[in-house]
């Protein structure tokens, strides 16, 4: 007997199914997280208080209507819950797996209790939808006759493609890789996001009428001039330029054995998918691995290296170890800067904080054999929020390493491509620079060229990419037809009418 | 002082003036005339002076008057030297005429009147100047004094007196119309107080004791009369108006007609169809019958006069206009019921609190409205006189030995003296007489059609358009389904919400809004009481008749050819029934309200014209029922908003004088919630069929979003919920019947332009202009476009709504994730920058297009350096926190606010739940947890003498922003031990606060309560909390005249705690409107400087404060913001006790989660004050005082691109009123409370020994009705002096014993404490023992009184209201509402009126005689013992919450000791008789046992026995 809807949070504790044990899951590359039995999942939905102000859905970049779908779960109406989810998020099965869930740090229950399991609820709804066959192609009733090219098929490109296609435009997606999906496909390891999940979504898009052209790098395989034939072009090429030690004056950073994470991770996915690896095979097997960078990509490298059977693994992070609890000036409902342990970190390896890499040691054959590091001391943030670092004398160390994976973030989109051919204006952002456009019309400096996702805003979360894809799609739709009934985060559907199309 | 006239460019509207008063009459039953009657009449007036009021000129008063028989002998002698002679009595008529001061105007008026006399073939005898002494009246009255003359008209010989009266009526009306239509410059001063062959009225703007000094006729011994009917006025405004004084031609009215607007409209429609043999072709001359510019009472008099002159007797006419509550009356004879039912087909009641005294010169009588909301006491004397008045004891010289009967007028009853027959005719005789006039029941059975209630559901109409699309077209949202429709269908109740309304006003929302959303319900506050539709359902009725009305002046069987409905909500089957009606007198016609989408918004305007014409055409073709239908919306066709269509057709037909010829029914997909039905009926619909809501419910059932507890109940529950809601909305404004609510237009529009309002909602206030028909059409088309997008890009789905709670794609809310988080961060970290961001976010008007102040901008001022502005520490003293009761919020959060406010010198508010006296003492760290403001609300929970003494300010809550006009309910499971303790109730027993204060039904009652509270704490201030609505300014003026020290104007949007969603969304208006109206009216009336004005409602920032000050506020209240600072995250579930941050909960586990800190609250208020200072510096104000009322420093500044807001106009809001000479725009003087005359000063002197040493004393005093609130000041002085209280002890019983001889005034023994005994020999008026706090009151008749004590009334209405402890022994009968909300007093009484022991929660009541109807309604605690001699009590008892049981062992002992004590103190003969034969008599007692209370007692017993067993 389930309790009063209003009192679930007083009755149930937060509960998440046990993942497959690390020693077991390290034996394979499949997803390893489990589900609670159905009634227990519903109990978790009962913890949602259906707040007067759901801070969670302000915490969510997509504006997912979290209380609404939780409410529908309570009512056992999963199909409607899925419809609600899809109204803000084209791909809940992706975000239900790989999102750091800013919603949960904004959850009202999180003020004084563990937050609601929002992300898992999302995943459960989406997975159930797929299982039950509720996710079907939605073809547009009419075609507008307008054509749109989308460059890049990462989450931003995919979301935009689906939205624009549903608005009745004919959409062609150019992907330079052999499969659509961008980082979803080859960036995120299979054990975090099963590639079948990506592919089935791509299939849905195809069935709805989106055309995917793979192995088609614009400016290389496809002449840039071909873009002129489209009524609009949306660039969603991501921010794929990895940050390296280049120009940082770190001796030995060009040694063999030091690779950006994105040289390493896609290879493993190709292997899992039974595809050949064309480049030099990078494997951590029996190696001392050092991963530099403590973010998501770093942890992906950790998980992949452990699965490949590395001899040892150290994960270095430049920044200090975050506090366990929120500090005073990082109050709820802000994103919480606290210490988090990713699933990969639970699988093994060692994490070190406040470590600066001073140099790489050559084994004599041009291969890396060790890192030389020093510990850092970080000052209090100044007015701009920046913190000064200082090396701590006497903390120098030598760490042996056969394979060094650089997961230090991405600085910007690759611009020595069609981007420069098109002469698109760039703009500085937090990480480096992106293709210039605002978040209202997403227009680049070139007429009828639009940009969305990491290519515009710099490296970010999948959820932000989907968000930008959706918002940009609406902007493109408005551009093409003067009005749009596509939903966007803050649009209630009336606004473009009210703004521009008042019946006179 | 120069002649001041009210400026009309501001918000002041004379239509909203109210008056109330004291009334009375004296007559010789045989009509014998004497001068003594006149003198006594005037004496009654003088002794009712305290019920009137005066404005800024203490000499002027609000007016009074007297109606007499024509003093024939006197006038005959007087006119002798005027050159004409008077014929015999009855052969001439006298007109009392107010004429213009300007000579030329005056003569023109007289000429027209002379001409009118000739035209009616009567003879003008001559004119007489009425001798007057202008020095007797005040300067203000003198400036407006008319020239007063009498005109004498000889009766044409061919006429009898009644026919002559009719002629005089025509003369008066026709002359008035002619003068009104003339170009005479002074015509507005022309007014005829009376013109009759029998009666004459002297009245004017003066105080009672000036009457015979001013009108020398009255002092003349030669003047005689057999009757004198008097009226003393208390008006909410002060501007002089002689004609507003009463009596009118027939009557004097104490109370207020709530349904006036509807009555006016309907009378207006009817008057073309009048047909009267008696008046004949003169009808044209008397039309229009009513005078819409005049007061409700004046218009009532006009209509009454028409009915009487049309041939009905005065009593018959009165029974038509003020019927008894017949619907659902258990014991009313059927012929009488039929009489009322028949007349309901002809005319709707004029509903509202009313005590009417009336006379045509032959009969004189009085009637009381169905609620019995005004007091009316009468005495019959040995010398054959009747004295009737608002109070007993108005003639001090009449001693008890001369009185044979002391009675009171009962609800719905009439009292009549036939001076021709020389006898009193009682209510039963009267009514059975006119019930027998005609076979009304037979007529009804023959001609009236009854709507069947058990019709099987018809096959649903299948529409071509899908449900979802139609839902979208009509603007349905997901919230509508989840939060409105589903709960209604599942529980049959209105959905509840919390935390007020912080969403955008409809006109400020960029989203298209339903037209309904532009309206706000008006509600009763102060000048009339709201009703409790649940506990007092005996007076409520949703029954209506629709169809073609007959001739009002005739009486024919066919007049009841109407369709009778039990409720205005129609199921599909019922509508089908109507559509298929086809018989003589019943012809339905459907008018479609659809229009073509493709033609754009202008097409809707056009269609609106067309449907009006269509309706008229149908009507002329014989239709008697017009059905406006929006069935069939589609891709090509949209619907005119149902309200617009209804309003337009209704107004159109009213203008064509055709409205009374048909019923109006609305078949609409749009209406779905209570407010929608209220609006549709309020603007003219007789019935509504919400077909799409019903169809939606079917769909929800199908989708299992609605689970029926019993199959087939969803529709039924939904309709029932809507009906309950409708009753609630009606009762909020104090209207009892749907029949009179219909067309009554009790709404205010916000954001609609004049053209639209005039066309469809004529007479509705809409004060800031706004959108017109075109924009309304655009909204319709926008919704339509959402349902039928040019290119559908997604699955169709309903809009999220977001009206009731913040949702990302929903409506804008002022409290949203950004603002809440920023405010919490700023105050907990004391971070100025974050506060600035918060304030910026809130103040940035482009984002806060949610409140009117968002559209205001400061003008450029002469900036001064910030240092010159008074410090923030001074400004914060003007801040208060809102009234939130301990009970609605946790003790932790309550004390958190109190500590913070005490630290900064502001004031926190107890709310209505009492306060634990432990909080009255300082904590060790110096913090004080006491709330400076003690609230007194209708429930009076914990309002004891100790509570009041420990206050700095006592706030009378007339209404609260979230649910004005409603009471509250604290369910038993929330009444925890600690809460029960401070509320003086039983843990676990439900507590109900009634909608009205049962001691405030009228403005003079409020003045009385203010007086009581002032007596209870002479050191504190008394404030009155009002909620913004049109007319609140005039009420505030009345409050200022009632001597309140402070008036609080609350916005509609504030509010915490639980409340029905309908009220949260639709009741009350923005404070910007209410505050500026209040300030303007107070300034115009020179009442501003004597009262502090406070404002609250969604106050958040220093900018809000600055705007509040500029619009006229001295002080500022904050509720939601400090709660948010304390951790509230707007969960909006306060009503569920599940607050996850420990604020709005009593759950011990959840309370642990409370994390608020007083210092955070302090930080917040300083941030606000500092922000305000910056604005002051910018504007150049050094102090708040300089700033208050300076609306000239504000300008209206809307966003030009906002497609709705840009049509607004704030000029009336920003209108600047100039202060009078020697006055200020802010609070600068103190009120004169007139406490020096209190009898208690004598008592205090005499009780010196007790005050000093607690020694016992015995005192004897004489009392009169003018000695009000006796014993209160003495009690409070004792409490203060000796620190008495809940924990600190009391005086021994009878320490002070006071013998009082005579008639006690109102509130005798209010808040009297233990140890004080008041023994009245005589009788007393209303509110005896109000808030009794342990004292003892004994009332018994003097020995010389000849009547039987047990049969005569001895105390007035509402005795022991809110008593918390003490005893009262009443030898005699008490009035209505005895022991309402008693929570601890023990009392014996020998009979009570209606509604006895209502809402009682504790104590014991023994009634040894008859009880009125509706006994024990809402009673949840305590026990009543009823001596049920006739065995009929159960019929009169409201069994909703109680069981009737026999006495058991314990109660027999208890009762016996009560009776013994009663005999001991009062020598009661009835008690003695019962005791003498105890064993037998005790069997006749019934024990009234509240079920809740019985359950809790049983539980306690069990627990106790468990404890006993365990130990």
């Amino acid at each position: 007997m389930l309790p009063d809807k209003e009192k679930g949070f007083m009755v149930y504790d937060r509960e998440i199914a046990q993942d497959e044990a690390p020693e077991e899951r390290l034996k394979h590359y499949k997803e390893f997280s489990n589900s609670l039995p159905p009634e227990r999942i519903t109990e978790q939905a009962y913890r949602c208080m259906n707040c007067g102000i759901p801070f969670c859905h302000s915490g969510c970049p997509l504006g997912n209507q979290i209380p609404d779908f939780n409410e529908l779960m309570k009512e056992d109406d999963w199909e409607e819950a899925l419809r609600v989810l899809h109204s803000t998020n084209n791909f809940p099965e992706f975000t239900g797996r790989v999102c750091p869930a800013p919603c949960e740090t904004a959850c009202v229950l999180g003020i004084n209790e563990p937050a609601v399991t929002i992300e898992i609820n999302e995943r459960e709804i989406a997975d159930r939808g797929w299982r039950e066959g509720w996710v079907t192609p939605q073809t547009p009733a009419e075609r507008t006759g307008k054509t749109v090219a989308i460059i890049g098929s990462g989450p931003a490109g995919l979301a935009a493609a689906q939205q624009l296609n549903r608005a009745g435009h004919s959409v062609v997606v150019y992907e330079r890789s052999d499969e659509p999906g961008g980082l979803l496909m080859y960036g995120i390891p299979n054990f975090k996001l099963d590639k079948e999940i990506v592919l089935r979504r791509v299939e849905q898009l195809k069935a709805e009428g989106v055309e995917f052209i793979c192995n088609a790098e614009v400016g290389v395989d496809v002449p840039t001039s071909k873009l002129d034939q489209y009524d609009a072009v949306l660039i969603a090429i991501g921010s794929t330029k990895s940050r390296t030690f280049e120009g940082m004056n770190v001796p030995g950073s060009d040694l063999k054995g030091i690779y950006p994470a994105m040289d390493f991770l896609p290879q493993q996915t190709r292997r899992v998918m039974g595809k050949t690896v064309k480049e030099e095979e990078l494997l951590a097997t029996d190696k001392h691995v050092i991963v530099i960078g403590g973010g998501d990509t770093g942890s992906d490298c950790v998980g992949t290296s452990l699965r490949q059977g590395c001899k040892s693994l150290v994960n270095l992070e430049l920044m200090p170890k975050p506090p366990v609890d929120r500090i005073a000036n990082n109050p709820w409902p802000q994103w919480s800067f606290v210490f988090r342990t990713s699933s990969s970190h639970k699988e093994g390896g060692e994490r070190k904080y406040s470590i600066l890499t001073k140099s790489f040691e050559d084994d004599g054959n041009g291969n890396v054999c060790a890192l030389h590091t020093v510990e850092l001391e970080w000052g209090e943030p100044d007015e701009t929020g920046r913190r000064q670092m200082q090396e701590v004398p006497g903390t120098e160390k030598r760490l042996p390493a056969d394979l060094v994976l650089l997961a230090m973030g991405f600085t910007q989109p690759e611009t020595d491509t069609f981007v420069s051919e098109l002469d698109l204006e760039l703009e500085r952002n937090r990480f480096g620079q992106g293709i210039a456009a605002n978040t209202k019309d997403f227009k680049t400096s070139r007429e009828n060229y639009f940009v969305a996702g990491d290519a515009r805003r710099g490296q970010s979360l999948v959820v932000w990419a989907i968000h930008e894809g959706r918002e940009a799609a609406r902007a493109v739709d408005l551009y093409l037809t003067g009005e749009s009934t596509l939903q966007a985060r803050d649009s209630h559907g009336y606004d473009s009418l009210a703004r521009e199309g008042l019946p006179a | 002082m120069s002649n001041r006239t009210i400026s009309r460019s501001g918000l002041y509207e004379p239509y909203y003036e109210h008056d109330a008063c004291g009334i009375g009459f004296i007559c010789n039953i045989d009509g014998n005339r004497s001068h003594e009657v006149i003198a006594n009449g005037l004496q009654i007036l003088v002794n009712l002076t305290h019920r009137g009021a005066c404005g800024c000129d203490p000499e002027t008063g609000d007016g009074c008057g007297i109606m007499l028989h024509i003093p024939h002998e006197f006038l005959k002698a007087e006119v002798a030297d005027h050159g004409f002679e008077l014929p015999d009595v009855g052969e001439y008529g006298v007109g009392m005429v107010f004429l213009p001061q300007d000579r030329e105007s005056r003569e023109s008026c007289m000429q027209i009147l002379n001409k009118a006399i000739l035209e009616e073939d009567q003879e003008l005898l001559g004119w007489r100047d009425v001798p007057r002494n202008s020095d007797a009246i005040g300067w203000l009255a003198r400036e407006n004094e008319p020239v007063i003359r009498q005109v004498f008209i000889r009766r044409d010989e061919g006429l009898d007196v009644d026919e002559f009266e009719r002629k005089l009526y025509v003369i008066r009306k026709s002359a008035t119309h002619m003068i009104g239509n003339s170009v005479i410059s002074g015509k507005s001063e022309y007014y005829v107080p009376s013109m009759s062959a029998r009666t004459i009225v002297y009245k004017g703007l003066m105080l009672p004791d000036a009457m015979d000094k001013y009108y020398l006729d009255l002092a003349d011994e030669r003047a005689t009369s057999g009757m004198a009917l008097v009226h003393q006025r208390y008006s909410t405004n002060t501007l002089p108006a002689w004609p507003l004084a009463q009596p009118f031609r027939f009557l004097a009215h104490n109370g207020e007609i709530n349904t006036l607007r509807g009555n006016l409209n309907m009378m207006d429609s009817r008057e073309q169809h009048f047909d009267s043999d008696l008046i004949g072709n003169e009808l044209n001359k008397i039309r229009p019958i009513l005078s819409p510019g005049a007061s409700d009472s004046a218009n009532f008099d006009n209509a009454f006069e028409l009915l009487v002159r049309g041939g009905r007797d005065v009593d018959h006419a009165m029974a038509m206009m003020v019927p008894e509550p017949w619907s659902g009356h258990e014991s009313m004879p059927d012929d009488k019921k039929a009489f009322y039912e028949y007349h309901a087909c002809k005319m709707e009641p004029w509903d509202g609190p009313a005590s009417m005294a009336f006379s045509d010169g032959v009969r004189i009588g009085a009637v009381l409205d169905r609620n019995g909301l005004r007091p009316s006491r009468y005495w019959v004397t040995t010398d054959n006189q009747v004295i009737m008045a608002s109070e007993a004891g108005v003639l001090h010289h009449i001693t008890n030995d001369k009185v044979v009967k002391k009675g009171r007028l009962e609800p719905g009853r009439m009292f009549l003296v036939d001076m021709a027959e020389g006898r009193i005719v009682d209510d039963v005789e009267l009514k059975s007489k006119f019930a027998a006039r005609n076979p009304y029941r037979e007529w009804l059975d023959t001609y009236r059609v009854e709507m069947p209630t058990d019709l099987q559901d018809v096959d649903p109409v299948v529409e071509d358009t899908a449900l979802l699309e139609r839902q979208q077209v009509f603007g349905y949202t997901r919230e509508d389904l989840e939060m409105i429709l589903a709960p209604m269908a599942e529980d049959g109740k209105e959905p509840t919400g919390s935390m007020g309304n912080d969403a955008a006003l409809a006109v400020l929302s960029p989203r298209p809004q339903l037209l309904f959303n532009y309206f706000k319900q008006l509600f009763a506050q102060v000048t009339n009481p709201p009703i409790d539709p649940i506990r007092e359902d005996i007076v409520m009725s949703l029954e209506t008749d629709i169809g073609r009305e007959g001739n009002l002046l005739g009486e024919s069987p066919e007049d009841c050819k109407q369709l009778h409905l039990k409720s205005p909500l129609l199921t599909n089957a019922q509508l089908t029934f109507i559509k298929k009606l086809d018989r003589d007198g019943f012809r339905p016609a459907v008018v479609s309200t659809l229009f073509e989408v493709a033609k754009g918004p202008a097409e809707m305007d056009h269609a609106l014209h067309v449907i009006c014409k269509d309706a008229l055409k149908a009507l002329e073709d014989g239709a008697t029922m017009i059905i406006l239908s929006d069935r069939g919306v589609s891709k090509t066709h949209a619907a005119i908003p149902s309200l617009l269509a209804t309003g337009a057709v209704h107004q159109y037909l009213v203008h064509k004088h055709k409205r009374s010829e048909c019923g109006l029914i609305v078949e609409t997909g749009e209406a779905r919630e209570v407010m929608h039905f209220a609006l549709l009926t309020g603007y003219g619909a007789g019935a509504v069929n919400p077909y799409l809501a019903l169809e939606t419910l079917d769909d929800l059932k199908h989708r299992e979003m609605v689970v029926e507890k019993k199959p087939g109940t969803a529709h039924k529950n939904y309709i029932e919920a809507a009906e309950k809601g409708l009753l609630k909305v009606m009762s909020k404004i104090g209207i009892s019947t749907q029949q009179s609510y219909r067309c009554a237009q009790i709404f205010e529009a916000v954001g609609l332009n004049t053209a639209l309002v005039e066309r469809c909602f004529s007479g509705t206030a809409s004060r800031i202009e706004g959108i017109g028909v075109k924009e309304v059409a655009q909204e319709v088309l926008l919704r339509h476009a959402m349902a039928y997008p040019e290119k559908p890009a997604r699955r169709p789905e309903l809009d999220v709504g977001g009206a009731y709670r913040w949702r990302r794609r929903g409506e804008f809310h002022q409290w949203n994730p950004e603002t809440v988080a920023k405010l919490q961060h700023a105050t907990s970290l004391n971070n100025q920058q974050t506060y600035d961001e918060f304030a910026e976010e809130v103040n940035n008007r482009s984002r806060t297009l949610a409140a009117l102040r968002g559209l205001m901008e400061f003008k450029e001022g002469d900036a001064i350096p910030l240092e010159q502005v008074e410090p923030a520490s001074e400004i914060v003293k003007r801040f208060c926190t809102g009234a939130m009761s301990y009970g609605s919020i946790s003790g932790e959060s309550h004390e958190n606010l109190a500590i913070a406010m005490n630290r900064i010198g502001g004031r926190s508010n107890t709310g209505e739940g009492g306060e634990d006296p432990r909080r009255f003492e300082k904590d060790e760290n110096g913090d004080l947890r006491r709330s400076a403001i003690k609230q007194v609300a209708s429930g009076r929970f914990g309002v004891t003498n100790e509570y009041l003494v420990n206050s700095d300010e006592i706030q009378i809550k007339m209404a609260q922003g979230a649910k004005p006009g409603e009471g509250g309910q604290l369910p038993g499971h929330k009444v925890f031990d600690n809460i029960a303790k401070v509320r003086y109730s039983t843990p676990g027993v439900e507590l109900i606060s009634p909608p009205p204060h049962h001691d405030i039904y009228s403005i003079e009652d409020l003045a009385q309560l203010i007086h009581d509270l002032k007596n209870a704490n002479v050191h504190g201030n008394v404030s009155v909390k009002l909620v913004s609505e049109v007319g609140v300014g005039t009420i505030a003026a009345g409050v200022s005249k009632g001597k309140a020290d402070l008036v609080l104007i609350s916005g509609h949007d504030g509010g915490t705690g639980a409340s029905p969603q309908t009220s949260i969304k639709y009741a009350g208006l923005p404070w910007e409107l209410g505050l500026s109206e209040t300030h303007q009216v107070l300034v115009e009336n020179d009442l501003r400087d004597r009262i502090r004005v406070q404002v609250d409602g969604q106050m958040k920032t220093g900018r809000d404060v600055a705007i509040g000050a500029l619009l006229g506020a001295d002080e500022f209240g904050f509720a939601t913001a400090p709660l948010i600072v304390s951790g509230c995250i707007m969960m909006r579930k306060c009503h569920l006790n599940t607050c996850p941050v420990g604020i709005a909960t009593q759950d011990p586990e959840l309370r642990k989660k409370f994390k608020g800190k007083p210092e955070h609250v302090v930080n917040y208020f300083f941030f606000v004050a500092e922000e305000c200072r910056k604005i002051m510096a910018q504007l150049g104000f050094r102090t708040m005082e300089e700033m208050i009322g300076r609306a000239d420093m504000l300008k209206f500044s809307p966003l030009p691109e906002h497609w709705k807001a840009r049509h607004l106009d704030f000029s009336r809001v920003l209108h600047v009123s100039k202060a009078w000479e020697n006055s200020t725009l802010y609070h600068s003087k103190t009120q004169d409370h007139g406490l020096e005359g209190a009898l208690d000063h004598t008592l205090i002197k005499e009780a010196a020994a007790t005050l000093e040493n607690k020694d016992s004393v015995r005192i004897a005093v004489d009392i009169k009705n003018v000695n009000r609130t006796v014993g209160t000041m003495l009690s409070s002085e004792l409490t203060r002096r000796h620190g008495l209280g809940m924990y600190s002890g009391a005086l021994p019983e009878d320490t002070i014993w006071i013998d009082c001889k005579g008639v006690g005034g109102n509130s005798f023994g209010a808040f009297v404490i233990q140890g004080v005994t008041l023994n009245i020999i005589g009788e007393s008026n209303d509110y005896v023992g109000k808030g009794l706090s342990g004292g003892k009151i004994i009332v018994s008749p003097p020995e010389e009184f000849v009547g039987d004590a047990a049969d005569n009334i001895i105390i007035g209405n509402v005795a022991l209201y809110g008593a918390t402890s003490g005893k009262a022994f009443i030898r005699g009968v008490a009035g209505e509402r005895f022991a309402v909300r008693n929570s601890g007093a023990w009392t014996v009484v020998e009979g009570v009126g209606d509604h006895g022991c209502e809402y009682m929660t504790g104590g014991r009541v023994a009634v040894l005689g008859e009880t009125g109807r509706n006994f024990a309604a809402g009673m949840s605690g305590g026990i009543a013992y009823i001596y049920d001699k006739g065995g009929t009590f159960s019929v009169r008892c409201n069994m909703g919450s109680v069981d009737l049981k026999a006495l058991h062992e314990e109660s027999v002992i208890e009762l016996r000791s009560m009776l013994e004590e009663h005999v001991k103190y009062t020598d009661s003969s009835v008690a003695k008789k019962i005791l003498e034969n105890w064993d037998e008599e005790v069997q006749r007692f019934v024990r009234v046992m509240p079920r809740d209370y019985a359950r809790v007692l049983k539980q306690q017993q069990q627990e106790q026995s468990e404890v006993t067993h365990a130990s």
Side-chain angles (χ1 to χ4, degrees), chain A residues 68 83 113 477 485 487, chain B residues 478 791 794 797 1153:
Chain A
D68 299 32
R83 201 196 55 67
E113 299 281 340
D477 190 24
T485 48
Q487 289 159 312
Chain B
R478 230 161 49 217
K791 42 170 197 132
R794 56 184 158 100
E797 56 166 22
K1153 295 171 185 260

Side-chain angles (χ1 to χ4, degrees), chain B residues 169 249-251 267 289-290 297-310 312-319 321 347 350 356-360:
Chain B
Y169 175 50
R249 288 92 191 191
F250 276 94
L251 53 86
M267 282 298 286
I289 303 299
L290 304 184
S297 313
N299 276 296
F300 186 101
D301 186 77
N302 289 156
F304 183 77
E305 181 177 37
L306 173 79
L307 294 179
V308 174
R309 294 297 177 230
R312 290 189 174 88
D313 289 338
V314 281
D315 46 345
H316 185 169
M318 197 52 98
M321 293 179 71
M347 187 185 204
W350 291 55
M356 298 267 185
F358 56 91
S359 177
D360 59 1

Side-chain angles (χ1 to χ4, degrees), chain B residues 191-240:
Chain B
Y191 174 79
V192 181
S194 69
M195 184 178 285
S196 161
R198 296 188 176 107
T199 60
I200 188 165
V201 172
Y202 287 84
K203 66 180 184 182
L205 273 186
M206 63 202 79
L207 294 172
D209 60 6
M211 278 294 285
D212 59 352
K213 296 188 184 70
Y214 178 75
Y215 284 116
L216 303 178
D217 289 5
L218 298 177
D220 198 305
E221 294 276 342
R222 293 170 299 168
T224 63
S225 174
M227 61 153 197
L229 192 158
V230 297
H231 185 275
Q232 153 76 38
R233 183 163 180 259
Y234 181 144
S235 166
T236 50
N237 73 316
T238 47
L239 285 194

Side-chain angles (χ1 to χ4, degrees), chain B residues 844-856:
Chain B
N844 182 342
R845 68 196 167 93
S846 69
R847 278 178 250 170
T848 52
L849 286 173
L852 297 181
R853 57 189 173 280
L855 307 183
M856 295 179 194

Side-chain angles (χ1 to χ4, degrees), chain B residues 768-783:
Chain B
I768 50 169
E769 290 298 311
I771 62 168
V773 174
K774 181 180 163 210
E775 286 77 18
V776 173
Q778 283 172 331
E779 297 194 290
V780 171
L781 294 175
L782 277 175
R783 281 192 293 272

